[in-house]
Amino acid sequence: HQGAGTLKAVVSTQSTGEKIKCKEGSKKAVQVAADLAEKQTELAKKTAEVGALMQQFHTQKLGDLKLILSTYSHIQMLSHARALEFYTRSYQDMVDISVEEYVETALSETMPMANSQSTPALATSDRSSDQLNVTK
């Protein structure tokens, strides 16, 4: 601690005016330290505010994203459900078609005299001929 003793010796040999300057310098140092502490407290508050805003932003962002994606998924499920219903009806209509009966009906309509002894088709089908679009 030889430097501290040297500092005391220098201060004691200085004139009275220089001692006042040193005291004013120490007041400035105290003021600077107080300003620094104030700024650090202010920085901590601002950091906490920014952290809270970031959390609020992320919460809102994820909530909005969840709403958008769930709405999109719901719309897609409805669309695919309708398509599946349509394909199911189409498939069932195709299964219900009797090829032999359709051919007999088509032949009787195009050649009524040649096929006068055969009876009109679609007798075994549960659906009417209008639904199957096979007659007139």
Side-chain angles (χ1 to χ4, degrees):
H1 297 319
Q2 194 178 38
T6 307
L7 180 60
K8 287 180 185 178
V10 171
V11 171
S12 62
T13 59
Q14 294 175 342
S15 66
T16 310
E18 290 176 348
K19 286 183 181 180
I20 293 173
K21 285 183 183 178
C22 287
K23 287 181 183 180
E24 287 175 6
S26 65
K27 286 182 184 179
K28 284 183 182 179
V30 170
Q31 182 63 37
V32 168
D35 288 345
L36 177 63
E38 182 182 332
K39 296 298 181 186
Q40 286 176 335
T41 303
E42 192 176 316
L43 177 65
K45 287 180 185 178
K46 294 294 181 180
T47 303
E49 288 177 17
V50 169
L53 285 174
M54 287 177 61
Q55 183 177 359
Q56 180 184 5
F57 169 76
H58 285 296
T59 301
Q60 182 69 39
K61 178 182 75 169
L62 289 175
D64 291 345
L65 187 61
K66 179 181 175 182
L67 177 65
I68 290 168
L69 290 176
S70 64
T71 302
Y72 175 78
S73 296
H74 186 253
I75 291 169
Q76 289 298 313
M77 286 190 297
L78 289 175
S79 173
H80 288 290
R82 287 185 195 127
L84 186 59
E85 289 171 359
F86 172 77
Y87 286 125
T88 301
R89 281 193 306 269
S90 298
Y91 176 78
Q92 193 59 47
D93 288 343
M94 285 188 286
V95 168
D96 290 346
I97 293 174
S98 172
V99 175
E100 294 82 21
E101 292 174 0
Y102 178 78
V103 170
E104 285 179 22
T105 304
L107 287 176
S108 67
E109 289 176 0
T110 57
M111 300 188 301
M113 296 299 171
N115 203 8
S116 62
Q117 292 154 350
S118 66
T119 59
L122 301 177
T124 60
S125 175
D126 292 338
R127 298 179 186 263
S128 70
S129 59
D130 291 336
Q131 286 177 329
L132 293 176
N133 296 323
V134 293
T135 60
K136 300 176 186 133

